[in-house]
Amino acid sequence: MSQNNHLDAAWQYHSGTKHSPLSIRMNPHFLDWDNKPLLFKIYPTLEVMRLPRDFQETGRAALDAIAAPPRQAQGEAIPNLETLAQLLFFSAGVVRSKKHEQGETFFRAAACTGALYEIELYVVCTDLPGEPIPGANSPGLAAGVYHFGVAEFGLRQLRAGDFRQVLVEATAGDPAIAHAPVTIICTGTYWRNAWKYRSRTYRHFGWDNGTILANLLAMSEASNLPAGIVTGFVDSQINELLSLDTKREVAFSLVSIGYQQSTPSGSPQIVPLDLPIVPYSNEEVDYPAMRKMHEASSLDSAAEVIAERGKTPGHDSVPSKGTTVSLQPPIDDIPADSIEKVISRRGSTRQFSRQSITLPQLSVMLDRATRGIPADFLDPFGSHLNDLYLIVNKVDGLAAGAYVYRWDEKLLELLKPGDFRDKAGFLGLDQPIPADAAVDVFFLADLKKILERYGNRGYRAAQLEAGILGGKLYLAAYAQRLGASGLTFYDDEVVNFFSPHARGKSAIFLVALGRSVTRK
Ligand SMILES: Cc1cc2nc3c(=O)[nH]c(=O)nc-3n(C[C@H](O)[C@H](O)[C@H](O)COP(=O)(O)O)c2cc1C
């Protein structure tokens, strides 16, 4: 039996990885630059098939693509190889690089804690049409299991043949997976992020996977492909399909892409692959707390997977006590830059200018980011696990203060007025970014309710949802030529600040929004 219902595991992990001013002072961490991990997973013995890069822009406005309702399958929707390449590039590809004293950082399409890029992507697909690519035996992409080689922008084939039935079984017959010509599996590699963040990395799996998924969902929508996130699966079956060394790397989420009438009927046998991998570092440090959390949130059987679906816990509807302000999205003049353009220019703001943004701009970000996520744990569509609390520093048309976002009514309820810039800087781990931003959006969740409903698996879901919402906020900001940055925070101090309204909740994530200082 799995330990999914032994909720002490999630509470222990969460409490044990909280930041506080004291914990930061008592446990300083110095980065061992000589042991910095390689940021790419490379299978040196496998040929790489380079993917085409001459993408045709979808032209779909980013602000539409991130907010569209789930696309209902209308006939076959099978991506060709070129579209698959485009989805991978704009979700996790290298979009720019920067040289510095320690070497060169290759920045990717989605934001990631510390630019350490611990999330790997794998493709499991049927035969896909397309032009011939160098290194492949036939045009398009042959059915198989592939690793996305970000460094080369290519695919390495781990297994030849149609293995989609393994996914169908692992997800207890999830209908979207069963009809998907392509499923993308996202994994987390502990050491690549733990080098800097130690045990807190398991939270980052959710955040950093989430920002990738925000891009992937938007790009799928822009490519007219249905897409859905599946977090309920028998872990060992997916990990074995990828032949992962689970002490170091584990499957975290699946995304079904496209629709096909037929479903797979069987799969070739799965044998361990035992493939060498270029070492990440001279030595890796193990942080057992993360593996413990992962194991305790792993599912062992189809029955457990089915029990994870839907039935999203509701949110207590507390009547508003304070002043409320309705969102005011503009009716016209909404920026229409394409999703590709917006992803290409996105980058985390390193310094905010303290200038104001407008209430309509904030409204666009909140409205578009919160229109719902197609995920197996969220039912009905539009339900959510995280609540949004805001510190408004400078927004024209909105008094400075602390607010809670009343999601269903699209209202901001004032919890306390005042200038909280210094407080925001403190809560965001004493960094200037949240103090200088126009608005800070804190994600808080009622973990008690979530864990009672989903078991420890709910912890993964809460972190992942926050990352997706955060990723959407990033895109909605950059679509309006504003800036954004994900941030870490002092856990209990955040909850205390927003209490009594937030009492009993847990701090999950933070995104700062505003105007970036433009560097010459
Ligand atoms: C979940 C998350 C948390 C982050 N936390 C911080 C932070 O605490 N401080 C900071 O300066 N940047 C933070 N960042 C920004 C990352 O450093 C940045 O995404 C990374 O360097 C990659 O650069 P890019 O976003 O410009 O592509 C965070 C980003 C994410 C996605």
Side-chain angles (χ1 to χ4, degrees):
M1 261 313 272
S2 83
Q3 305 160 51
N4 193 41
N5 289 323
H6 299 189
L7 305 185
D8 282 359
W11 285 118
Q12 263 173 27
Y13 174 78
H14 189 69
S15 304
T17 55
K18 280 181 180 175
H19 279 330
S20 70
L22 189 66
S23 76
I24 296 288
R25 232 172 294 132
M26 299 291 284
N27 301 299
H29 181 51
F30 301 99
L31 297 180
D32 180 357
W33 287 101
D34 292 338
N35 202 36
K36 185 182 179 192
L38 175 67
L39 301 187
F40 300 99
K41 183 175 189 184
I42 298 170
Y43 293 90
T45 54
L46 296 182
E47 285 280 320
V48 64
M49 288 184 279
R50 303 231 175 220
L51 288 163
R53 307 185 67 125
D54 46 347
F55 311 123
Q56 275 193 348
E57 199 171 331
T58 63
R60 184 74 183 276
L63 288 172
D64 278 349
I66 63 169
R71 184 169 279 274
Q72 300 306 325
Q74 288 166 337
E76 305 277 284
I78 302 174
N80 60 21
L81 178 61
E82 291 72 19
T83 304
L84 176 64
Q86 195 170 19
L87 295 182
L88 292 170
F89 181 81
F90 286 102
S91 304
V94 171
V95 291
R96 69 183 148 269
S97 71
K98 196 173 159 195
K99 291 208 168 80
H100 45 78
E101 269 177 29
Q102 284 89 15
E104 189 167 7
T105 302
F106 295 93
F107 289 95
R108 305 200 190 172
C112 178
T113 46
L116 290 164
Y117 303 114
E118 76 280 9
I119 304 297
E120 294 288 331
L121 267 49
Y122 298 80
V123 173
V124 181
C125 64
T126 180
D127 288 330
L128 300 181
E131 300 294 317
I133 53 170
N137 297 329
S138 54
L141 190 65
V145 178
Y146 297 87
H147 173 251
F148 174 40
V150 178
E152 307 89 349
F153 191 58
L155 295 175
R156 286 189 173 86
Q157 191 182 60
L158 303 181
R159 299 184 191 275
D162 190 345
F163 284 85
R164 292 175 303 143
Q165 179 61 20
V166 177
L167 305 180
V168 178
E169 277 164 28
T171 59
D174 182 282
I177 295 279
H179 287 279
V182 177
T183 290
I184 292 180
I185 305 177
C186 304
T187 67
T189 307
Y190 297 116
W191 168 244
R192 285 247 292 280
N193 195 268
W195 169 74
K196 181 167 182 186
Y197 298 104
R198 298 180 282 176
S199 296
R200 206 163 148 103
T201 284
Y202 199 75
R203 300 186 185 207
H204 296 190
F205 279 7
W207 305 351
D208 296 332
N209 193 173
T211 58
I212 291 174
L213 296 188
N215 287 17
L216 182 56
L217 290 174
M219 281 303 299
S220 303
E221 168 58 29
S223 310
N224 303 322
L225 293 165
I229 296 164
V230 176
T231 57
F233 50 85
V234 176
D235 293 73
S236 58
Q237 290 179 344
I238 302 293
N239 291 334
E240 278 161 26
L241 177 65
L242 304 179
S243 211
L244 299 179
D245 171 359
T246 54
K247 284 204 214 58
R248 303 164 81 215
E249 183 182 356
V250 287
F252 202 82
S253 69
L254 315 182
V255 185
S256 58
I257 309 271
Y259 180 84
Q260 199 171 29
Q261 195 71 39
S262 63
T263 56
S265 49
S267 96
Q269 218 197 336
I270 297 178
V271 290
L273 294 174
D274 247 344
L275 290 164
I277 289 158
V278 176
Y280 296 131
S281 291
N282 294 334
E283 58 171 329
E284 297 190 7
V285 181
D286 183 32
Y287 294 93
M290 292 189 278
R291 281 191 289 103
K292 215 167 142 191
M293 176 62 219
H294 187 76
E295 278 152 30
S297 58
S298 291
L299 307 176
D300 282 355
S301 67
E304 279 188 308
V305 169
I306 290 165
E308 288 295 307
R309 290 189 192 139
K311 301 190 212 80
T312 311
H315 295 250
D316 300 330
S317 137
V318 187
S320 60
K321 293 201 184 107
T323 314
T324 55
V325 179
S326 300
L327 293 192
Q328 291 174 19
I331 291 152
D332 40 36
D333 284 342
I334 294 182
D337 283 352
S338 73
I339 182 70
E340 292 96 326
K341 281 207 175 76
V342 170
I343 291 176
S344 301
R345 71 167 175 251
R346 188 212 60 79
S348 297
T349 298
R350 301 288 85 203
Q351 191 183 353
F352 284 104
S353 71
R354 293 208 168 203
Q355 287 171 305
S356 59
I357 63 169
T358 66
L359 180 55
Q361 286 171 326
L362 174 61
S363 300
V364 166
M365 294 189 271
L366 290 175
D367 170 44
R368 298 298 165 108
T370 59
R371 293 229 194 141
I373 297 170
D376 57 347
F377 59 91
L378 295 175
D379 184 39
F381 177 75
S383 8
H384 53 98
L385 304 182
N386 284 274
D387 295 318
L388 306 187
Y389 287 80
L390 283 72
I391 292 185
V392 171
N393 289 329
K394 204 156 196 239
V395 175
D396 294 340
L398 194 61
Y403 291 81
V404 61
Y405 178 50
R406 298 182 69 92
W407 199 295
D408 297 333
E409 300 142 274
K410 294 196 185 287
L411 293 177
L412 286 164
E413 177 186 339
L414 183 63
L415 299 178
K416 48 187 170 189
D419 176 350
F420 296 115
R421 274 197 192 275
D422 290 348
K423 190 80 184 173
F426 163 70
L427 294 176
L429 217 76
D430 286 310
Q431 299 182 79
I433 292 177
D436 295 337
V439 185
D440 297 299
V441 183
F442 293 81
F443 297 67
L444 277 74
D446 187 342
L447 273 187
K448 188 164 178 292
K449 229 186 219 178
I450 293 168
L451 297 177
E452 271 164 15
R453 159 65 194 95
Y454 304 102
N456 295 321
R457 193 71 155 205
Y459 192 72
R460 296 192 198 177
Q463 301 290 1
L464 185 71
E465 185 200 80
I468 298 168
L469 292 169
K472 288 186 183 217
L473 284 175
Y474 259 103
L475 296 173
Y478 280 85
Q480 300 183 89
R481 295 195 173 270
L482 299 172
S485 181
L487 289 167
T488 197
F489 46 84
Y490 292 129
D491 287 78
D492 290 344
E493 287 71 8
V494 168
V495 177
N496 291 341
F497 176 75
F498 289 107
S499 289
H501 196 283
R503 190 162 293 140
K505 294 184 187 174
S506 299
I508 303 291
F509 187 41
L510 164 58
V511 178
L513 304 166
R515 290 191 185 278
S516 312
V517 170
T518 42
R519 294 179 203 284
K520 297 262 154 48

